[in-house]
């Protein structure tokens, strides 16, 4: 593969380009939870890819135990003031995917949580492995956010059940609800996503870019504005003692006490 030399590399992910397909691979052990710097770098990389003439479609996937566990809770437990920077990185990454001039395919496996939901919900197409689970444990982490992107995947009442309970749903249920294009074995996930990408990459780049902009324009409401609204409540949540307790309990691997 030809490495994308100006795509904004980070130790948390790799970028490669071949035959019109840009592949972004998140690799941040143990659970692909990204800190504030990594989120901002990822947003920059995805934005950069969308400006390149040799990129016709983007595939985002991960290595390791799951797709993405969201933000680095340990960073926020140690530096709660970084919530503003984390929010900025999340916003920029999800916008870079949703508003990218070219289609973005998310190939997800294992846990798809928090920021992982944001990326999947912002994408144009989602492919999942049979082991994939989708969830928003934000309430249990003392934060808000993810609802706007979750609601782009699932119906309103399903979103609220997931949000209030923190309970995830599996790939088959996600497929039944229409959020996922294909459910395949883990070993077939990358090739399935790449094959979809090849079909798109063979089409007129000008027509595909027009189609992406057109489809974004006819969506109900503004996804980025909705997410900004949610982020205001994340800041409000962080002012509560309960929020601090949830993060500390998570770091200490114990149940939170309210």
């Amino acid at each position: 593969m030809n490495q994308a030399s100006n795509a904004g590399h980070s130790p948390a992910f790799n970028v490669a380009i071949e035959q019109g397909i840009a592949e972004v691979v998140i690799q941040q052990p143990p659970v692909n939870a990204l800190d504030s710097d990594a989120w901002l770098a990822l947003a920059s990389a995805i934005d950069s890819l969308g400006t390149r003439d040799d990129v016709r479609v983007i595939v985002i996937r991960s290595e390791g135990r799951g797709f993405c566990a969201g933000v680095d809770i340990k960073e926020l437990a140690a530096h709660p003031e970084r919530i503003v920077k984390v929010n900025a990185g999340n916003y920029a990454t999800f916008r870079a995917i949703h508003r990218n001039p070219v289609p973005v395919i998310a190939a997800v496996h294992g846990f798809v949580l928090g920021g992982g939901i944001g990326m999947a919900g912002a994408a144009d197409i989602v492919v999942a492995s049979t082991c994939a689970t989708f969830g928003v444990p934000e309430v249990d982490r003392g934060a808000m956010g993810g609802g706007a992107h979750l609601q782009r995947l699932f119906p309103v009442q399903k979103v609220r059940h997931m949000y209030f309970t923190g309970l995830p749903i599996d790939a088959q249920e996600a497929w039944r609800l229409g959020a996922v294009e294909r459910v395949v074995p883990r070993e077939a996930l990358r090739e399935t996503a790449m094959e979809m990408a090849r079909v798109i990459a063979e089409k007129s780049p000008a027509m595909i870019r027009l189609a992406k902009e057109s489809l974004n324009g006819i969506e109900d409401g503004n996804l980025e504005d909705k997410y900004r609204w949610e982020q205001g409540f994340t800041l409000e949540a962080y002012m509560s003692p309960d929020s601090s307790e949830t993060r500390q309990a998570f770091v200490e691997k114990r149940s939170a006490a309210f």
Side-chain angles (χ1 to χ4, degrees):
M1 287 189 174
N2 299 318
Q3 291 295 320
S5 59
N6 63 345
H9 289 288
S10 163
F13 61 88
N14 294 318
V15 181
I17 299 172
E18 186 176 25
Q19 297 180 334
I21 302 171
E23 186 177 14
V24 180
V25 184
I26 300 170
Q27 300 179 100
Q28 183 70 5
V31 294
N32 289 325
L34 305 182
D35 64 17
S36 51
D37 287 334
W39 281 113
L40 289 168
L42 183 59
S44 178
I46 296 169
D47 273 332
S48 176
L49 290 171
T51 68
R52 295 177 62 121
D53 292 336
D54 59 342
V55 172
R56 299 185 176 189
V57 59
I58 299 169
V59 173
I60 301 177
R61 64 179 187 88
S62 297
E63 295 290 348
R65 292 163 51 189
F67 177 61
C68 178
V71 304
D72 185 347
I73 298 297
K74 292 181 180 179
E75 177 190 28
L76 290 175
H79 303 281
E81 75 281 358
R82 291 186 188 174
I83 183 58
V84 175
K85 186 176 179 181
V86 169
N87 273 355
N90 280 166
Y91 178 89
T93 299
F94 307 157
R95 177 204 49 75
I97 295 171
H98 180 233
R99 295 293 176 183
N100 203 280
V102 303
V104 179
I105 299 171
V108 304
H109 75 284
F111 42 77
V112 186
L113 303 172
I117 288 289
M119 289 189 284
D124 298 284
I125 300 169
V126 181
V127 184
S129 71
T130 52
C131 66
T133 58
F134 300 77
V136 278
E138 265 66 5
V139 168
D140 293 330
R141 301 292 182 264
M144 298 288 114
H149 295 87
L150 197 68
Q151 199 162 295
R152 197 168 181 259
L153 294 167
F154 305 120
V156 171
Q157 278 75 22
K158 174 60 73 174
V159 168
R160 295 188 180 210
H161 180 268
M162 293 174 68
Y163 212 101
F164 295 151
T165 65
L167 296 174
I169 63 171
D170 62 22
Q172 284 296 337
E173 177 69 354
W175 178 83
R176 186 185 74 82
L177 293 170
V180 171
E181 181 63 27
R182 294 274 303 279
V183 178
V184 298
R186 173 74 178 91
E187 59 271 20
L189 181 62
R190 178 182 182 271
E191 180 53 33
T192 300
M194 295 299 283
E195 181 56 35
M196 288 183 181
R198 291 184 197 108
V199 172
I200 296 170
E202 290 174 355
K203 301 191 181 295
S204 161
M207 293 300 103
I208 291 296
R209 285 172 179 257
L210 284 173
K212 175 71 182 275
E213 184 176 2
S214 173
L215 290 170
N216 276 357
I218 63 172
E219 285 187 357
D220 181 19
N222 185 300
L223 180 62
E224 285 69 38
D225 285 351
K226 291 176 182 178
Y227 185 58
R228 273 298 193 209
W229 166 266
E230 287 188 272
Q231 287 190 320
F233 288 94
T234 293
L235 289 173
E236 184 174 338
Y238 264 64
M239 297 172 67
S240 165
D242 284 2
S243 180
S244 176
E245 166 62 10
T246 58
R247 289 191 301 279
Q248 197 60 38
F250 177 81
V251 171
E252 296 174 0
K253 297 182 179 180
R254 59 173 174 80
S255 297
F258 303 116

